[in-house]
Amino acid sequence: MTTSASIVFSSFTSAADPMPRAWSRFRDQLTAPSERPIDRLSDPQAGPVCVWRLLASNNRELGRSALIYRSFDDARAAVFEARLERRDIEIRSVHGPNAGTHGWFAHEADAPPLMTCGRWYGAHAASVDAAQHSIEAFFEATVLAEGHRRLSPDRRRSTREAMGAPSEIVRSRSS
């Protein structure tokens, strides 16, 4: 299979950032409590965290790391280690939170999840097909070497939020 998929990394300034917390909540919907890896989100004072995403050539997310790592170096090393070992990866299909939704996660036998889907699918077959494609792409993807995106909590501010509330804008115009 020829692929131009890539594995990219994102770092967050704090484990308390909403994005890694949302990442962890989504993962926890896919896995049973006994299958969940322990990550740094249990201690919001733990400092920065990093995740990886598997992207198709059109930047569509195919999969994402199940673990949240301490640093870019830890995340990147984990990707290379998983790709070097290339053991049998099992796909576990799961029902989503709403009727008719399906998701998946991939893991080695008796090991915590390695990768999860990034969204819910409307059909079980579509979920399984996406999982199989994602596993193939993971082993052939380009692992970006130039670093990672550093994201801070204020990256999601809209233009309107940056300008202030509408009432503040009206007042400043009338001043």
Side-chain angles (χ1 to χ4, degrees):
M1 176 178 139
T2 304
T3 182
S4 52
S6 57
I7 297 175
V8 299
F9 301 87
S10 297
S11 292
F12 302 92
T13 56
S14 168
D17 185 284
M19 191 64 118
R21 291 214 174 270
W23 191 284
S24 181
R25 278 192 305 274
F26 181 77
R27 180 205 54 214
D28 290 350
Q29 290 180 328
L30 294 163
T31 57
S34 62
E35 298 167 324
R36 292 181 189 143
I38 297 171
D39 55 38
R40 299 189 71 210
L41 298 181
S42 58
D43 178 11
Q45 304 302 319
V49 294
C50 186
V51 296
W52 58 260
R53 296 171 55 212
L54 174 65
L55 302 179
S57 59
N58 64 357
N59 284 332
R60 180 176 52 91
E61 186 177 86
L62 300 175
R64 54 173 64 172
S65 59
L67 291 174
I68 297 173
Y69 300 91
R70 294 178 186 262
S71 69
F72 164 70
D73 291 333
D74 288 349
R76 195 161 188 271
V79 166
F80 281 116
E81 183 179 323
R83 288 166 45 122
L84 279 174
E85 291 179 4
R86 196 172 183 134
R87 296 184 186 141
D88 288 331
I89 302 291
E90 298 176 7
I91 297 168
R92 176 99 39 101
S93 183
V94 298
H95 293 286
N98 301 319
T101 58
H102 304 272
W104 60 269
F105 69 91
H107 66 100
E108 296 172 356
D110 300 323
L114 167 68
M115 179 171 36
T116 72
C117 59
R119 67 180 186 92
W120 297 110
Y121 296 85
H124 179 263
S127 174
V128 171
D129 186 50
Q132 291 170 339
H133 176 69
S134 297
I135 297 302
E136 290 174 21
F138 175 76
F139 287 108
E140 297 181 17
T142 301
V143 180
L144 298 186
E146 65 268 8
H148 53 106
R149 290 181 9 185
R150 293 180 196 268
L151 302 173
S152 60
D154 62 347
R155 73 193 171 285
R156 290 180 294 280
R157 287 190 183 175
S158 69
T159 306
R160 176 165 284 175
E161 288 172 321
M163 291 173 35
S167 60
E168 293 171 341
I169 295 168
V170 170
R171 272 186 261 141
S172 64
R173 286 184 189 159
S174 61
S175 304

